[in-house]
Amino acid sequence: MAAYLSLAESQRRIAGYLHRFVDAIARQDGPTLRPLLAVSSSASLLPLADALANFPDSSRLVTQSDQIAQFAEILLPLLRSIQSHRLRCFAEAYSSYEKAANAFLQEFRNWETPWAMEAVHAIALEIRLLAEKGDRELASVGKSPEKLQAAGSFLMKVFGALAGKGPKRVGALYITCQLFKIYFKLGTVHLCRSVIRSIETARIFDFEEFPLKDKVTYMYYTGRLEVFNESFLAADQKLTYALARSDPLNMSNMRMILKYLIPVKLSLGILPKMSLLKKYNLLEYKDVVDALKTGDVRLLRQALQDHEEQFLRSGVYLVLEKLELIVFQRLVKKIYIIQKQKDPDKAHQIKLDLIIKAFKWLGIDMDVDEGECIVTMLIYKNLIKGYFAHKSKVCVLSKNDPFPKLSGKPVMAS
Amino acid sequence: MSQGGEPLAGINPNPSENQVTYVGQTHAASNPYLTPPGPQVWHPPPQPAPTSWSYRPENLSTQNGYPSNYYYDPQRDASVPSHTQSGPSPTPNAQLQGYSTPYAASYQSSVVPHNNSADYATSFYSNANINSSSLQVAPNQNTGASNQPPFQNSVGHTSSTTMSNSNIYYNASGDHQNTATTAPSYQSGGYYYQQAGQAYAYPSANQGSTTVNPSYQQQYGQPYYYYNHPAGGTSVGTEGTMPGGANAGSHPGVGAAGGYSYPTNQPPPPGTSSWRPDPGTSTLPPVQGVGATGYPAQYPGQFQAYPQKPADQVPASAPTLLLPSNNAIQGNVFFSQTPNMHVSSTNQFQQASQSSQPQPQLQPPPPPYPAQIPDTRQIQGSSQLHPNMVQMPETRQVSKMQIPTNPRIAPGLSTGTVKVDRGSISTGGLAKPAYVNVSVPKNDTKLTSIAEDADKVAIPVSLKAYVERSFARCKTDAQRTANQALMKEVITKASAEGTLFTKNWDLEPLLTLPSSDATNTNSTQESTIFSSLNKEKRKSRWEPVEDTPEKKVELVSNSTNGGPSNIGYSRPEATPKMDGKNWNTMKFVKAQKQSNFSSSGRGSFKKQKTNTFIRKPAGNADSSSDSDKERELTKYYSSAISIANSPEEKKRREHRSKRFDKRKIEGSTPNNSSSILTRKANAMLLAKNYDENSGTDRAVEDIDWDSLTVKGTCQEIEKRYLRLTSAPDPSTVRPEDVLEKALKMVQTSNKNYLYKCDQLKSIRQDLTVQRIQNELTAKVYETHARLAIQYGDLAEYNQCQSQLKRLYAESIKGCANEFSAYHLLHVSIHSNNKRDLLSSMARLSIKSKQDEAVKHALKVRAAVSSGNYLLFFRLYKAAPNLNTCFMDLYVEKMRFEAVKSMSKAYRPTLPVRYVAQVLGFMKNSEEKKSEITDKSGFEDCEQWLKAHGAVLKSDGSGDLQLDGKASMTTLYMPEPENAVSHGDASLAVDDFLTRAP
């Protein structure tokens, strides 16, 4: 294959690439420029990479003509990066690419119109992907993976170049989203705050003017942040925004959003249909939903245990864990309903013994004090209306709506 | 008087022009005086160099009558410093050079070539500024009546020449008037001003505008660094030149040299100094002191000469400037010795550089005056001028040293510098009369002769550096002689071919010397004493210089031996006094000067100087043990310090410097000290380097931390924690076995937490500086973390926890599970950071989840998150390890939540006994409770409920009941009794007072 490229052919390919690059800049042709920068995702660069491997002195081609040489600071590292990437030396490819990207950003700052926005976005994406690959490579040889972090700081620079006033601002949200991806991956989500502030507090630019895809991505990530904060209403609003605007046929995007939206909705007392879970392959929530429907505490605990790692990773574990009280409520309500069927007159008085018996039936051992404590918590959190009589060990329910529904409101915070 | 005036007048025209150029370019804005001449002066920087050259001859000629003498003086001065250096070590020059090379070399490479260019310019520039400041200073000093004659001369210069070099002198004269105003600033400005004073004059005229100074100082500080370095590069040769200058009285040569440097100065933009202002600014006095100390005494003769030949002297001084090598070397030495000195070093630096630099700039005609004058003004009244010159080299050395460190360490270092100054100062005070013993080492003389030759021909700086380099590799006299011959040949050839100025001497390969290997043995031996780190690092990062690290080491040792420098070094305290001394001395000196001038002829002056030079080195050579000497010196100086002028200043400075003294005395063992110093110097150098390179990415990565790692020698088990402000001193660091004992001691100690915390921190520090990371390290951190948990010191706990996390990650054995339990508890209870909690939960391995402590922690977390108070307090009672301590911190909150929910849920009432039992007031609720504990628990609960606003009432049975409905609205969280406004009760005053010794 490529190994037998002739020298002339190699040179031709490289020169062709260089000319396309320079022409695209000269004509301010962003769409043409874009694939030329996509080191890892553009198949069109493969022949070039082979040619580079074959042609040792590519830097001469760059410096040969003045027209090309003026972009030597971009092109030289870019060619190196393409070559390193082809050789699967991703850490090196990243380092070179970052140099090229810095040089390009320098140029970009000087261009008044945002014609090269596509190219900048391509760079932002590339640099993140390369950094991730580079980090994997570094980690595999026992070095500390630091490229993604470096990519983060580079993107902050890009963000700085875009976020000001002017026509370039429209491209800032894309960079923000790339930054989110990096920060979430690195676990440094607190760094998102400054970016969010600059996006959300700016009055000069209406959020709705950003491209839709960026808005959806942005809402998805900020929604996730709200899940971390356990501010379910805000999370619900953002994730719903994202869900409503993404393509329902794009299963993976829908699934990603629902993965967070479902726990949020559950916390608000809204249960999904089983068909939804099936459609988007979110069956890990099935048991949780069932537990909420039936008041089966054991099922909930089992589900949490079964999917613990997954839930911990996605960050919804603590949210799901908090559903337990709602499950308790459901359980007591079931007792109440059964009791009401037997003896409607005494239905609003539930003996603690019954509750404890129900728990035992679910395989959860509990003594009287624990039972009292749970009932107390339910009353305290407004999941049960009524009171508990310590002396007689009876929970007395209000006759009017003893088990208030959450219906879109979160459980009262402790 | 009259004599002085004449020379000045003659010289002035030329100098003025030269000066003007400088001034005009750099200082134009600031220097009103200078500006006027500006038109006359040559504006273009490129021109200046040539002009200066051309002038030199003129100047020389003009000066000739006087100049010759003058030249002598400068030379002497220069030589003195070198002597001091060389004195101690057998091969002073070579060593010195070597030293300079490592540091200076790199600089040289960059700077030297550029001398003409901006770099130099900047440095000069800064100098100029300094000068201005110095002018002010000078005036103050001058104030003494005696000075006036010289000044008058200078004044004449100014008038004729305008601002030029005369400035220095002029400043003195003209500035005298100004002085009143400047004087106050001077003290405060301290270093800069003083330095300025030393720097003298050029700008001095300019200085008239004092305002410039502050900014300049900063700038200048930075430039200096550079400057020094370059100087160092050049200086290698410089040593040689210095002496040569002295010997030769080679006016032309000297002048040329001065002129040389001169041009370079011009380019520098004023603003250039981007570097930080010198931290050590306060140190100002020391510089003066330095200058004043040994040197002044030595130079009495000079004073006399001075008046007569001010112009000549100036040129001489200029050469010294050019010759920075000595300074650089010394500087390095100092550096290594006293890292602390940084600050002062900077100042000294500045001073040195100022003095030296300015002189070069001024050099041609006026320089002589300025150089001398400034010196005198700054330090001593009259005679000291020369001393200053001498001092200058020292200062320069110091400054170089500092340079590397300055940015980072400078603050801490200042003491070091101060010390130096003092030493010098004290010497000055004491030595004044004694001035005599300055002998030039053989090497120097040889060098000098060559240098002289070179000077005569007007040698380019790079050539000088080249010559210095060549001499630097000479380890023996024989080699030196051979080298000398070689150099002569080379230079003659070059000048014959006309390539003297066109050749790139920096790149010129050195000619091979006979049996250089054999010669090297000496140096190697010496070098072995020191860590070899220097070599490696230097080589790797800096351009290859002929000089080896060994040389540096040698230099260091030499410098240590050298009387004045060492002394200064050792005493931080000296500086404060310096001021007073200086002031006093200044007047005194001035008087002397006048008399000297009038009485002594040129010729006599020369002779005196030369004599002094020769003698001095011999005296120094005797001293072998650096540290011993240092100590002696310190004592000596400290006693001399008594003269400090401003009591407040003095107190402060002494206080500051004492810290270092103490440490030094405790720590220094003769053998150790040198290597320590080297290491420190290294570290500083690195630091400096790092600073310089920040922005580029080459700095940190090639630091060889292994080489910097300290091996402790301290055997004390107990050690107080003191935050390091400089590179660690091995003599105060405990080795691992001692640390182990120390840990045992802490663990078994009955003293309070604060004492233990202090001890553990010092143990941690010692571990860190020795880079010990093993089970002992884990144990120390675990011990400290546990103590901190028990004491409720979460800040300290956090530090330990993060270190432990790292240690465990490196699979160092310890109580990993115990501490991951603590971590879980901490994040779940205190930090409320959901993401942290999630990730730390996700990180738990299946195995560690089986651990009792971890299981417990997870349960606690669940209880807290769900608000299950019952579970929480049951877990509270069953907590393993110190889990209870974490829970303790949450108990209050949990109880309050619980009571709130109880009062909402329970109707009509709830027995307090039950509350007490559920909320953990009873010691052991589950088992058969003893009546007593039960009772006390119950009472506690009752009190607690009352304190939180619960409504209690007793029912018919006599049991106290919590009234749920009534309590719902009355519950509140009381302010904690031990609350403190700063939020950290552990900082309460009485804790500090009870702190163990």
Side-chain angles (χ1 to χ4, degrees):
Chain A
M1 42 165 263
Y4 301 106
L5 277 179
S6 73
L7 213 58
E9 167 67 7
S10 301
Q11 181 172 357
R12 197 187 58 73
R13 281 188 196 174
I14 297 168
Y17 172 84
L18 295 175
H19 278 110
R20 262 180 288 149
F21 188 92
V22 175
D23 283 352
I25 292 180
R27 285 185 285 109
Q28 305 211 330
D29 185 350
T32 311
L33 192 56
R34 176 181 188 126
L36 300 178
L37 290 161
V39 171
S40 64
S41 30
S42 170
S44 64
L45 292 182
L46 277 182
L48 173 68
D50 292 332
L52 284 169
N54 209 24
F55 191 77
D57 195 15
S58 53
S59 62
R60 190 173 54 80
L61 293 178
V62 175
T63 50
Q64 219 169 25
S65 113
D66 285 349
Q67 196 198 358
I68 298 174
Q70 61 173 324
F71 299 110
E73 284 189 17
I74 302 172
L75 286 169
L76 288 178
L78 185 58
L79 291 180
R80 268 202 305 281
S81 176
I82 291 170
Q83 203 174 345
S84 307
H85 183 265
R86 178 68 175 147
L87 299 171
R88 311 196 69 76
C89 302
F90 296 122
E92 260 173 56
Y94 171 82
S95 304
S96 304
Y97 198 81
E98 196 191 279
K99 284 198 190 85
N102 266 313
F104 190 87
L105 182 62
Q106 205 53 50
E107 294 292 330
F108 179 76
R109 279 190 230 263
N110 298 331
W111 295 328
E112 286 186 5
T113 63
W115 68 267
M117 194 60 73
E118 278 191 59
V120 170
H121 287 176
I123 285 176
L125 176 66
E126 274 313 310
I127 204 162
R128 180 175 65 82
L129 296 177
L130 277 176
E132 285 172 7
K133 286 182 182 175
D135 277 355
R136 271 199 292 276
E137 179 189 311
L138 287 174
S140 69
V141 295
K143 289 184 191 159
S144 74
E146 63 205 2
K147 299 298 183 196
L148 197 53
Q149 222 173 331
S153 23
F154 170 74
L155 287 183
M156 273 309 283
K157 265 195 269 178
V158 179
F159 183 79
L162 297 178
K165 285 183 192 172
K168 291 177 184 172
R169 188 176 170 85
V170 76
L173 199 60
Y174 181 85
I175 306 298
T176 308
C177 295
Q178 295 298 325
L179 277 171
F180 281 163
K181 288 178 193 180
I182 290 175
Y183 292 151
F184 272 82
K185 187 145 198 161
L186 289 174
T188 53
V189 289
H190 56 279
L191 295 175
C192 296
R193 220 174 298 152
S194 63
V195 194
I196 292 176
R197 201 179 309 127
S198 120
I199 289 290
E200 294 193 344
T201 59
R203 301 222 178 85
I204 45 167
F205 198 90
D206 186 1
F207 182 77
E208 287 301 327
E209 288 177 45
F210 285 116
L212 182 64
K213 66 182 175 90
D214 295 340
K215 283 190 290 186
V216 169
T217 315
Y218 177 83
M219 282 304 192
Y220 165 74
Y221 279 109
T222 49
R224 283 185 63 181
L225 287 175
E226 298 296 352
V227 174
F228 282 136
N229 297 336
E230 299 191 357
S231 33
F232 297 125
L233 285 175
D236 181 35
Q237 180 241 320
K238 297 196 173 205
L239 291 171
T240 306
Y241 179 102
L243 189 77
R245 283 164 185 77
S246 43
D247 180 2
L249 297 178
N250 188 330
M251 297 297 275
S252 73
N253 278 357
M254 293 292 278
R255 185 174 186 274
M256 278 168 67
I257 298 170
L258 286 172
K259 209 159 106 183
Y260 294 93
L261 187 55
I262 288 173
V264 169
K265 291 280 191 192
L266 290 178
S267 302
L268 299 174
I270 299 162
L271 308 187
K273 285 180 186 161
M274 208 47 73
S275 59
L276 181 81
L277 298 183
K278 280 183 186 147
K279 185 178 176 188
Y280 293 104
N281 192 24
L282 290 163
L283 293 175
E284 64 263 29
Y285 292 128
K286 180 176 169 295
D287 285 348
V288 178
V289 173
D290 283 345
L292 281 167
K293 279 181 183 166
T294 60
D296 187 345
V297 180
R298 183 180 51 185
L299 188 61
L300 177 72
R301 292 187 178 175
Q302 191 60 45
L304 278 173
Q305 203 178 327
D306 289 348
H307 304 283
E308 184 183 285
E309 205 190 322
Q310 188 183 353
F311 290 153
L312 280 175
R313 234 189 306 121
S314 61
V316 296
Y317 183 91
L318 298 177
V319 177
L320 296 176
E321 192 189 50
K322 289 234 161 104
L323 296 175
E324 199 176 65
L325 268 186
I326 306 178
V327 177
F328 286 158
Q329 182 208 33
R330 188 80 197 169
L331 183 64
V332 178
K333 189 176 180 183
K334 272 183 126 180
I335 297 170
Y336 165 76
I337 290 168
I338 294 169
Q339 194 168 268
K340 197 176 181 183
Q341 284 169 353
K342 281 187 183 170
D343 184 356
D345 291 342
K346 289 196 171 179
H348 63 282
Q349 288 192 12
I350 300 177
K351 286 185 179 155
L352 189 61
D353 283 352
L354 278 178
I355 297 172
I356 291 171
K357 206 184 276 179
F359 275 110
K360 275 203 177 125
W361 181 68
L362 287 169
I364 297 171
D365 265 338
M366 198 175 269
D367 61 28
V368 178
D369 287 346
E370 283 176 77
E372 273 193 56
C373 178
I374 283 174
V375 174
T376 309
M377 282 159 57
L378 288 171
I379 297 172
Y380 179 54
K381 306 239 174 185
N382 273 335
L383 290 168
I384 290 179
K385 274 167 104 179
Y387 67 87
F388 190 82
H390 178 70
K391 235 185 218 169
S392 51
K393 306 289 181 202
V394 170
C395 176
V396 182
L397 303 174
S398 157
K399 285 182 179 157
N400 179 24
D401 189 20
F403 300 100
K405 285 185 176 162
L406 288 170
S407 57
K409 270 170 284 168
V411 176
M412 180 193 136
S414 59
Chain B
M1 295 287 292
S2 63
Q3 292 176 354
E6 292 175 3
L8 293 168
I11 300 165
N12 292 333
N14 297 325
S16 64
E17 291 179 358
N18 295 332
Q19 296 172 353
V20 174
T21 52
Y22 287 103
V23 174
Q25 295 175 350
T26 51
H27 300 283
S30 58
N31 303 332
Y33 294 95
L34 297 174
T35 45
Q40 299 176 355
V41 180
W42 314 332
H43 303 289
Q47 294 178 358
T51 53
S52 63
W53 284 91
S54 62
Y55 280 102
R56 292 174 185 172
E58 295 178 3
N59 297 330
L60 295 170
S61 63
T62 53
Q63 297 173 353
N64 286 338
Y66 305 94
S68 64
N69 298 328
Y70 290 115
Y71 283 108
Y72 256 81
D73 294 346
Q75 294 175 354
R76 289 178 183 177
D77 294 340
S79 63
V80 174
S82 64
H83 291 300
T84 52
Q85 296 175 354
S86 60
S89 63
T91 53
N93 294 332
Q95 295 175 353
L96 291 172
Q97 291 175 355
Y99 245 68
S100 61
T101 49
Y103 296 94
S106 58
Y107 295 100
Q108 292 177 354
S109 60
S110 58
V111 180
V112 174
H114 302 287
N115 288 338
N116 300 326
S117 65
D119 292 356
Y120 242 61
T122 50
S123 61
F124 279 99
Y125 193 41
S126 58
N127 294 331
N129 298 326
I130 298 168
N131 294 332
S132 59
S133 59
S134 62
L135 290 173
Q136 299 172 354
V137 177
N140 298 329
Q141 298 174 349
N142 294 330
T143 343
S146 60
N147 295 332
Q148 294 179 355
F151 287 95
Q152 292 175 355
N153 295 333
S154 62
V155 173
H157 288 295
T158 45
S159 60
S160 62
T161 26
T162 60
M163 346 226 330
S164 62
N165 301 326
S166 61
N167 296 336
I168 305 172
Y169 285 164
Y170 301 111
N171 296 333
S173 60
D175 292 23
H176 286 304
Q177 302 167 355
N178 299 334
T179 328
T181 52
T182 46
S185 61
Y186 177 166
Q187 294 179 351
S188 62
Y191 283 97
Y192 291 106
Y193 284 101
Q194 295 176 353
Q195 295 174 355
Q198 296 178 353
Y200 327 76
Y202 318 145
S204 58
N206 303 332
Q207 293 176 352
S209 58
T210 331
T211 51
V212 181
N213 293 335
S215 62
Y216 280 127
Q217 292 176 351
Q218 295 179 355
Q219 298 175 353
Y220 106 47
Q222 298 175 354
Y224 278 122
Y225 297 160
Y226 275 107
Y227 184 94
N228 293 330
H229 295 301
T234 18
S235 62
V236 180
T238 326
E239 294 179 352
T241 48
M242 302 271 298
N247 298 333
S250 55
H251 314 287
V254 177
Y260 200 130
S261 57
Y262 185 149
T264 50
N265 296 333
Q266 297 175 351
T272 343
S273 64
S274 54
W275 299 8
R276 316 163 179 175
D278 301 345
T281 326
S282 59
T283 10
L284 298 173
V287 177
Q288 296 177 352
V290 177
T293 56
Y295 296 107
Q298 299 174 352
Y299 294 98
Q302 294 179 353
F303 287 104
Q304 300 172 354
Y306 189 95
Q308 300 171 351
K309 317 166 184 180
D312 295 349
Q313 293 177 353
V314 175
S317 61
T320 53
L321 295 172
L322 296 175
L323 299 179
S325 63
N326 295 332
N327 299 327
I329 296 172
Q330 294 176 354
N332 293 330
V333 176
F334 280 117
F335 187 38
S336 60
Q337 294 177 346
T338 51
N340 298 334
M341 303 188 50
H342 299 292
V343 178
S344 56
S345 63
T346 358
N347 297 327
Q348 295 176 352
F349 227 177
Q350 297 173 353
Q351 295 176 347
S353 58
Q354 292 174 354
S355 60
S356 60
Q357 296 176 354
Q359 294 173 354
Q361 298 175 354
L362 302 175
Q363 333 114 355
Y369 290 104
Q372 297 175 352
I373 295 174
D375 291 348
T376 40
R377 292 173 186 174
Q378 296 174 347
I379 303 175
Q380 314 146 347
S382 55
S383 57
Q384 292 176 353
L385 292 176
H386 297 291
N388 290 335
M389 300 290 292
V390 177
Q391 295 172 353
M392 300 280 296
E394 294 180 354
T395 39
R396 290 171 189 174
Q397 297 172 352
V398 176
S399 59
K400 286 179 180 180
M401 303 280 300
Q402 294 173 349
I403 294 175
T405 35
N406 286 339
R408 295 184 175 180
I409 312 173
L413 298 176
S414 59
T415 42
T417 14
V418 177
K419 293 175 181 179
V420 178
D421 294 341
R422 289 182 180 180
S424 56
I425 297 172
S426 60
T427 26
L430 299 172
K432 280 183 182 179
Y435 200 92
V436 194
N437 298 329
V438 183
S439 62
V440 182
K442 297 174 184 178
N443 299 334
D444 290 342
T445 48
K446 292 176 184 178
L447 289 173
T448 24
S449 63
I450 295 188
E452 293 177 30
D453 295 345
D455 288 345
K456 287 170 186 170
V457 198
I459 300 177
V461 177
S462 58
L463 172 55
K464 220 164 246 162
Y466 175 74
V467 174
E468 286 168 16
R469 265 185 282 138
S470 73
F471 274 103
R473 43 179 201 160
C474 301
K475 295 279 144 68
T476 64
D477 286 357
Q479 276 194 337
R480 244 166 249 127
T481 344
N483 195 33
Q484 195 179 350
L486 266 178
M487 288 298 113
K488 265 183 186 164
E489 199 178 314
V490 169
I491 294 169
T492 333
K493 195 178 163 200
S495 53
E497 292 171 356
T499 56
L500 198 56
F501 295 97
T502 54
K503 217 168 190 169
N504 188 345
W505 292 104
D506 292 314
L507 299 179
E508 192 75 2
L510 293 179
L511 299 174
T512 48
L513 281 175
S515 73
S516 60
D517 290 345
T519 0
N520 284 336
T521 47
N522 280 344
S523 61
T524 3
Q525 285 180 346
E526 291 190 38
S527 65
T528 47
I529 300 172
F530 306 90
S531 65
S532 59
L533 303 177
N534 297 333
K535 296 180 184 179
E536 298 170 9
K537 290 180 181 176
R538 300 282 150 53
K539 281 177 185 172
S540 66
R541 28 173 62 196
W542 288 331
E543 294 184 11
V545 185
E546 283 79 26
D547 309 88
T548 57
E550 307 169 14
K551 291 178 180 178
K552 286 185 183 176
V553 179
E554 293 176 358
L555 288 172
V556 177
S557 62
N558 293 335
S559 63
T560 346
N561 296 334
S565 63
N566 291 335
I567 299 172
Y569 183 123
S570 54
R571 21 230 62 172
E573 307 135 27
T575 16
K577 297 175 181 177
M578 297 283 298
D579 291 314
K581 268 194 175 178
N582 290 339
W583 291 94
N584 297 336
T585 43
M586 301 245 336
K587 292 177 184 177
F588 183 61
V589 176
K590 286 177 182 177
Q592 283 186 351
K593 266 190 181 176
Q594 292 181 353
S595 62
N596 287 340
F597 282 119
S598 58
S599 64
S600 68
R602 302 166 194 168
S604 64
F605 190 52
K606 275 187 182 180
K607 284 176 184 175
Q608 287 182 358
K609 274 191 177 179
T610 37
N611 290 340
T612 31
F613 279 128
I614 296 166
R615 288 171 198 168
K616 219 180 184 178
N620 290 336
D622 297 345
S623 63
S624 54
S625 140
D626 301 355
S627 61
D628 284 349
K629 211 175 187 178
E630 277 183 25
R631 278 189 216 157
E632 289 176 13
L633 289 173
T634 16
K635 288 174 189 169
Y636 180 71
Y637 288 127
S638 55
S639 64
I641 300 172
S642 53
I643 314 173
N645 58 351
S646 136
E648 279 180 58
E649 250 291 85
K650 183 182 162 189
K651 236 185 201 166
R652 253 189 294 130
R653 287 186 185 160
E654 269 181 5
H655 189 69
R656 254 183 278 135
S657 55
K658 260 179 193 167
R659 294 190 306 208
F660 294 86
D661 272 356
K662 209 177 177 184
R663 228 214 250 144
K664 205 163 199 171
I665 293 168
E666 287 174 2
S668 62
T669 7
N671 281 341
N672 271 342
S673 60
S674 59
S675 67
I676 296 170
L677 293 176
T678 340
R679 202 181 282 119
K680 283 182 181 176
N682 243 342
M684 297 177 117
L685 191 84
L686 286 174
K688 179 250 167 143
N689 232 15
Y690 173 78
D691 252 52
E692 268 188 352
N693 295 334
S694 60
T696 76
D697 42 7
R698 79 173 196 208
V700 185
E701 59 214 14
D702 27 309
I703 291 183
D704 179 5
W705 292 108
D706 282 320
S707 60
L708 283 178
T709 305
V710 172
K711 281 275 169 286
T713 59
C714 177
Q715 294 298 317
E716 300 275 326
I717 287 176
E718 205 177 4
K719 176 183 160 186
R720 295 216 58 173
Y721 173 73
L722 184 67
R723 190 180 177 134
L724 283 177
T725 53
S726 64
D729 179 350
S731 61
T732 62
V733 173
R734 294 162 290 182
E736 195 175 336
D737 56 318
V738 179
L739 289 174
E740 216 158 329
K741 286 179 204 155
L743 178 61
K744 281 256 162 53
M745 184 273 289
V746 172
Q747 282 171 335
T748 56
S749 161
N750 290 323
K751 295 188 174 158
N752 67 9
Y753 171 74
L754 290 171
Y755 168 80
K756 290 179 180 177
C757 180
D758 186 73
Q759 288 299 311
L760 285 166
K761 280 177 109 157
S762 76
I763 295 173
R764 279 161 51 184
Q765 185 185 59
D766 285 356
L767 287 168
T768 305
V769 297
Q770 298 179 88
R771 299 206 305 156
I772 297 173
Q773 293 200 353
N774 53 24
E775 286 173 33
L776 174 66
T777 320
K779 252 187 225 163
V780 170
Y781 281 106
E782 283 167 358
T783 308
H784 199 174
R786 289 192 193 110
L787 285 171
I789 294 167
Q790 282 169 295
Y791 190 74
D793 185 352
L794 283 182
E796 207 60 56
Y797 158 78
N798 276 331
Q799 282 185 29
C800 295
Q801 179 68 266
S802 61
Q803 287 299 312
L804 283 170
K805 189 174 156 192
R806 197 174 51 74
L807 290 170
Y808 294 147
E810 289 170 17
S811 63
I812 288 169
K813 277 188 194 160
C815 311
N817 282 335
E818 181 189 337
F819 279 90
S820 53
Y822 295 154
H823 183 60
L824 275 175
L825 287 171
H826 186 247
V827 274
S828 55
I829 292 180
H830 300 290
S831 72
N832 201 28
N833 183 333
K834 297 288 186 288
R835 220 197 132 79
D836 273 3
L837 180 57
L838 283 165
S839 65
S840 51
M841 283 174 73
R843 238 183 284 122
L844 290 174
S845 67
I846 295 172
K847 203 177 166 191
S848 57
K849 277 184 201 162
Q850 308 298 316
D851 184 85
E852 276 311 312
V854 176
K855 266 203 244 172
H856 179 267
L858 285 172
K859 281 186 198 160
V860 173
R861 182 206 61 77
V864 168
S865 118
S866 65
N868 193 324
Y869 53 85
L870 188 93
L871 199 55
F872 179 87
F873 285 105
R874 284 186 180 172
L875 290 165
Y876 179 67
K877 281 174 184 153
N881 298 330
L882 299 171
N883 286 12
T884 332
C885 296
F886 279 101
M887 299 176 75
D888 269 335
L889 302 169
Y890 199 68
V891 160
E892 172 79 5
K893 203 175 169 195
M894 201 71 192
R895 277 180 181 156
F896 187 68
E897 279 301 309
V899 172
K900 256 189 2 191
S901 61
M902 282 172 175
S903 58
K904 182 173 180 189
Y906 286 103
R907 294 289 181 279
T909 58
L910 184 65
V912 171
R913 184 169 302 279
Y914 177 77
V915 176
Q917 182 203 319
V918 168
L919 297 187
F921 285 102
M922 307 301 200
K923 299 302 174 215
N924 36 6
S925 59
E926 307 305 325
E927 302 134 33
K928 273 285 177 191
K929 8 190 164 164
S930 71
E931 279 301 314
I932 303 165
T933 56
D934 194 25
K935 185 113 184 170
S936 70
F938 175 77
E939 279 164 9
D940 286 347
C941 181
E942 186 186 335
Q943 275 180 2
W944 187 92
L945 286 172
K946 280 179 181 162
H948 290 72
V951 178
L952 305 180
K953 62 180 182 185
S954 59
D955 66 354
S957 67
D959 261 1
L960 206 56
Q961 302 281 334
L962 171 70
D963 186 334
K965 193 170 188 178
S967 296
M968 268 181 74
T969 51
T970 57
L971 284 175
Y972 70 97
M973 195 67 137
E975 284 290 315
E977 289 165 17
N978 59 345
V980 279
S981 58
H982 47 76
D984 187 353
S986 67
L987 293 177
V989 178
D990 34 334
D991 275 334
F992 271 97
L993 295 179
T994 58
R995 204 164 168 158

